[in-house]
Amino acid sequence: MLKIAKFGGSSVANAAQFAKVKHIIESDEARRFVVVSASGKEHKKDNKVTDLLYLIEAHLKYSVDYLSLFDLIKERFISIKTDLGLQYPIEEDLAKLQSELSKSMSTDYLVSRGEYLTAKLMAEYLGFPFVDAKDIITFRYDGKIDFDATKYRLDNFLKSHDCFVIPGFYGALLDGTVKTMARGGSDITGSILARLLNADMYENWTDVSGILMADPRIVTHPKRIHTITYSELRELSYMGASVLHEEAIFPVKEKNIPINILNTNHPEEGGTIIVEEIKEKDSDQIITGIAGKKNFTVVAIYKNHMSDEVGIIRRALEVFENYRISIEHIPSGIDSFSIVVNSDDVKDVIYDIVGDIKRACNPDNVKVIDHIALIATVGRQMMYRPGISGRLFAVLGKHNINIRMIAQGSDEINIVVGVEDKDFEKTISAIYNSFVIE
């Protein structure tokens, strides 16, 4: 049995959290490869080390004094070292980094130091070898991971080591230049290692006990999702349920390696397991989860006998492409179709877009509808239960919620409704109470 264990920023925020990590690692000999994020917040008003490093980069750019920010970073790492009685000379690394700070230094290099320094301390504390991510995780020059080169470097390191601690979030180009991933990229590092090591499980340790069926800020004490498919998670993540970086799914999905989302502070509670496929079809739980986002704009295009006209939707989409606007949904009818986009993306160009659509498509009418929220009800069980859509719409009607848009994926695992922003929380609560509690 082999498990990759990735620990997020809150799991390595201070010495007490380091101790929890050590207990988790030592409780299961299958956990031999550990990925760490940069030290995160100890409490709500605290700062993440990575955020401080980005702030330092901004201060350097505008020639503003950054010493107070750097002192916060030094205090964090020296405090962890002192409290744990570690020997690693972290002060030397910090002094070296401070001496390198300049306007011309690489942003990627600077912000990667949070993970680097955290992993250095964690490696000594666990008694594991440290491996620098830049010596393993290899990027091609197009920004994508070079899996062949990464595997070659990983295999070479494993010839003399059977465990290690590695920083997440970054790697290097073929010439050795440090390159970071998107924020939250430590999740991706763990996923890459799980794939290349053919792990039996990828554990992602964070500060929540798995994925919840709805946002706890909207629904009081929502149930935990015990098992979810990659496809379901992708739908929920896209609509705002952000426990795991969505790009972390793809490396393990191809090899059907399960991901387990677990809580460093409460490992006994269990978590959520993410798998490729779940075989059971009969379950009392019809839906898996609900997620949504506010602030969308719907551009509705009407034209009589539109269904007889070839290419009209393509021409409308080309208008948005010309403005580099990504499309969320395209619900359609016989004589109309709508294009749903993020409001922030079009707020400065919406009138230009409407004008271009009129010229390209010669519609009878174009309507712009703002302040729309999209809410996805996701569940693999829905495809086996007739009447789910009708039940959902009836629930919203009962609560006097006006549905402005409906879209359903061809795989039948999600139903997306568009409602007014003001009805966002009310809609999520109504769906949850009907499908989960009743």
Side-chain angles (χ1 to χ4, degrees):
M1 186 75 171
L2 176 62
K3 297 177 180 178
I4 306 303
K6 179 265 174 180
F7 293 90
S10 62
S11 301
V12 290
N14 54 34
Q17 293 301 96
F18 266 58
K20 292 175 185 177
V21 170
K22 186 171 186 176
H23 176 74
I24 288 166
I25 296 301
E26 292 181 345
S27 68
D28 189 342
E29 61 183 15
R31 297 177 179 131
R32 294 187 285 116
F33 300 99
V34 179
V35 181
V36 295
S37 297
S39 183
K41 292 184 178 183
E42 292 190 67
H43 48 79
K44 283 187 178 179
K45 293 185 178 178
D46 194 20
N47 297 291
K48 297 179 180 179
V49 165
T50 301
D51 289 342
L52 292 172
L53 289 166
Y54 273 114
L55 275 172
I56 287 173
E57 194 264 346
H59 280 52
L60 286 167
K61 181 178 179 181
Y62 295 105
S63 301
V64 178
D65 181 63
Y66 57 81
L67 285 177
S68 61
L69 297 173
F70 198 83
D71 285 344
L72 290 173
I73 294 172
K74 284 200 295 190
E75 286 169 15
R76 173 73 61 87
F77 287 115
I78 292 172
S79 172
I80 292 172
K81 173 188 173 177
T82 303
D83 291 347
L84 296 176
L86 301 178
Q87 300 302 312
Y88 180 74
I90 196 87
E91 298 86 352
E92 294 177 14
D93 280 346
L94 289 163
K96 178 177 180 292
L97 177 59
Q98 187 170 356
S99 71
E100 293 170 334
L101 294 176
S102 69
K103 286 185 180 182
S104 60
M105 88 179 299
S106 159
T107 300
D108 284 20
Y109 174 77
L110 173 60
V111 300
S112 72
R113 296 305 88 186
E115 278 76 12
Y116 175 86
L117 295 169
T118 304
K120 278 285 191 180
L121 293 177
M122 183 63 75
E124 181 188 342
Y125 187 54
L126 295 179
F128 281 20
F130 167 84
V131 58
D132 196 341
K134 75 177 179 60
D135 298 326
I136 302 290
I137 306 297
T138 309
F139 286 89
R140 300 199 304 256
Y141 287 104
D142 63 2
K144 296 189 186 323
I145 297 294
D146 187 330
F147 281 95
D148 290 337
T150 300
K151 181 160 181 24
Y152 176 78
R153 294 180 175 192
L154 181 62
D155 288 346
N156 275 341
F157 188 83
L158 293 176
K159 288 176 182 177
S160 53
H161 303 88
D162 62 356
C163 62
F164 60 67
V165 172
I166 187 171
F169 182 48
Y170 72 94
L173 298 169
L174 291 167
D175 65 1
T177 303
V178 168
K179 178 171 175 55
T180 57
M181 303 170 186
R183 288 298 297 267
S186 294
D187 289 345
I188 304 172
T189 304
S191 184
I192 292 167
L193 292 176
R195 168 177 164 167
L196 296 180
L197 291 168
N198 290 309
D200 298 288
M201 178 75 73
Y202 170 31
E203 294 182 334
N204 196 289
W205 293 86
T206 179
D207 55 4
V208 294
S209 298
I211 303 168
L212 301 176
M213 292 188 72
D215 189 333
R217 293 168 297 184
I218 299 171
V219 174
T220 303
H221 302 305
K223 291 184 179 180
R224 173 163 52 92
I225 302 170
H226 293 281
T227 311
I228 187 173
T229 65
Y230 292 121
S231 297
E232 290 173 307
L233 179 64
R234 180 94 169 107
E235 297 287 351
L236 290 173
S237 297
Y238 186 74
M239 293 303 292
S242 56
V243 173
L244 178 76
H245 196 296
E246 60 184 56
E247 292 300 317
I249 295 171
F250 299 110
V252 291
K253 183 177 186 292
E254 294 174 9
K255 289 203 170 184
N256 198 22
I257 298 168
I259 304 173
N260 199 358
I261 308 293
L262 295 154
N263 191 337
T264 303
N265 302 313
H266 299 285
E268 75 285 352
E269 290 184 357
T272 298
I273 293 182
I274 309 159
V275 293
E276 173 66 23
E277 185 179 0
I278 300 170
K279 298 201 182 294
E280 96 280 351
K281 295 182 181 178
D282 296 319
S283 171
D284 292 334
Q285 194 64 67
I286 299 170
I287 70 169
T288 301
I290 309 158
K293 291 191 273 192
K294 293 182 180 180
N295 201 27
F296 289 95
T297 294
V298 179
V299 180
I301 299 157
Y302 305 85
K303 188 172 186 180
N304 288 329
H305 307 295
M306 186 186 72
S307 57
D308 298 327
E309 185 172 339
V310 175
I312 186 169
I313 295 178
R314 174 185 55 77
R315 294 197 298 276
L317 292 177
E318 283 178 348
V319 171
F320 286 90
E321 185 180 350
N322 291 338
Y323 288 90
R324 303 188 67 80
I325 308 294
S326 68
I327 309 299
E328 299 289 335
H329 288 281
I330 315 172
S332 64
I334 300 299
D335 292 323
S336 68
F337 64 96
S338 298
I339 297 175
V340 185
V341 294
N342 189 299
S343 298
D344 288 339
D345 292 344
V346 297
K347 64 182 180 182
D348 297 326
V349 292
I350 188 63
Y351 295 111
D352 298 317
I353 287 172
V354 170
D356 288 354
I357 288 173
K358 288 179 177 178
R359 284 186 287 274
C361 303
N362 192 28
D364 294 323
N365 193 17
V366 178
K367 269 190 196 175
V368 176
I369 308 163
D370 290 317
H371 308 298
I372 295 296
L374 297 183
I375 295 158
T377 302
V378 177
R380 60 189 177 276
Q381 297 286 348
M382 294 196 301
M383 70 179 75
Y384 307 114
R385 304 289 185 91
I388 296 301
S389 297
R391 178 177 163 186
L392 189 149
F393 303 147
V395 166
L396 299 189
K398 178 182 172 184
H399 287 82
N400 296 314
I401 296 167
N402 185 24
I403 301 173
R404 305 300 300 267
M405 187 204 88
I406 302 164
Q408 185 168 18
S410 57
D411 55 5
E412 299 184 66
I413 68 166
N414 76 321
I415 301 169
V416 177
V417 294
V419 301
E420 294 179 20
D421 277 346
K422 66 181 179 63
D423 290 327
F424 178 72
E425 291 83 1
K426 184 179 176 183
T427 302
I428 289 177
S429 294
I431 295 170
Y432 183 88
N433 292 336
S434 175
F435 284 88
V436 181
I437 293 178
E438 291 181 4

